[in-house]
């Protein structure tokens, strides 16, 4: 019999995320339509910061990752948070394979945020994107046209 006494504060091996996330700061250039100086895009792309990214103005916003060389992508994880106002957000995630000119849609999703209840949305996609040279995320923060600003707590790619 093999035994191990674990403390309650030790994370279980089963719940640990062992995904090898890409180092996006080293592998890609990022373009975006706007950025609040207090919430830069780096905050959503690195594990060291938990403030996330936020647009500097309302309306649909685009975040585009342009890879220095083609990447094999098997997983994309997005985390959105909204604690201040009720709204319905829509996002579209696209990719561009090397050697092509037309991007391809991965997913289009809507989600309702309710500050008294649903304040987070975690999307985790298993994909098989061969030779990806671009990942693009378009966020419409409020499909009813309100003054909400787009935000993204985290974007991770493996």
């Amino acid at each position: 019999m093999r035994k191990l006494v674990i403390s309650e504060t030790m994370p279980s091996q089963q719940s640990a995320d062992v995904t090898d996330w890409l180092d996006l700061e080293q592998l890609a250039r990022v373009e975006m339509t706007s950025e609040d100086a207090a919430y830069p895009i780096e905050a959503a792309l690195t594990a060291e910061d938990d403030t996330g990214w936020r647009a500097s103005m309302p309306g649909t916003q685009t975040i585009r990752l342009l890879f220095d060389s083609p990447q094999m992508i098997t997983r994309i994880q997005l985390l959105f948070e909204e604690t201040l106002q009720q709204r319905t957000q829509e996002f579209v995630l696209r990719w561009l394979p090397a050697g092509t000119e037309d991007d391809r849609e991965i997913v289009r999703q809507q989600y309702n945020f309710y500050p008294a209840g649903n304040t987070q949305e975690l999307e985790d996609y298993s994909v098989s994107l061969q030779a990806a040279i671009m990942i693009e995320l378009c966020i419409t923060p409020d499909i009813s046209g309100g003054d909400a600003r787009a935000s993204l707590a985290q974007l991770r790619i493996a």
Side-chain angles (χ1 to χ4, degrees), residues 94-115:
R94 298 182 183 95
W95 76 292
L96 180 66
T100 65
E101 294 182 15
D102 297 323
D103 58 27
R104 299 176 185 175
E105 192 169 299
I106 300 168
V107 66
R108 179 179 299 264
Q109 175 93 20
Q110 287 186 357
Y111 187 75
N112 296 316
F113 289 104
Y114 300 101

Side-chain angles (χ1 to χ4, degrees), residues 39-53:
Y39 299 92
I41 190 63
E42 296 87 348
L45 301 179
T46 62
E48 292 82 39
D49 199 331
D50 63 358
T51 58
W53 165 86

Side-chain angles (χ1 to χ4, degrees), residues 4 35 86:
L4 175 64
E35 175 180 73
Q86 182 174 325

Side-chain angles (χ1 to χ4, degrees), residues 23-112:
D23 183 351
L24 297 174
E25 285 188 305
Q26 297 299 315
L27 297 174
R29 183 178 82 239
V30 64
E31 299 175 346
M32 72 223 92
T33 50
S34 76
E35 175 180 73
D36 182 326
Y39 299 92
I41 190 63
E42 296 87 348
L45 301 179
T46 62
E48 292 82 39
D49 199 331
D50 63 358
T51 58
W53 165 86
R54 185 168 48 194
S56 62
M57 61 186 153
T60 299
Q61 303 292 318
T62 300
I63 299 170
R64 187 175 300 124
L65 296 172
L66 301 162
F67 295 104
D68 297 332
S69 61
Q71 300 293 314
M72 169 63 179
I73 297 175
T74 59
R75 187 173 172 197
I76 301 173
Q77 192 176 79
L78 304 165
L79 176 62
F80 300 98
E81 293 180 336
E82 173 60 74
T83 59
L84 300 177
Q85 68 185 98
Q86 182 174 325
R87 61 186 174 87
T88 299
Q89 171 179 286
E90 179 178 85
F91 73 86
V92 180
L93 188 60
R94 298 182 183 95
W95 76 292
L96 180 66
T100 65
E101 294 182 15
D102 297 323
D103 58 27
R104 299 176 185 175
E105 192 169 299
I106 300 168
V107 66
R108 179 179 299 264
Q109 175 93 20
Q110 287 186 357
Y111 187 75
N112 296 316

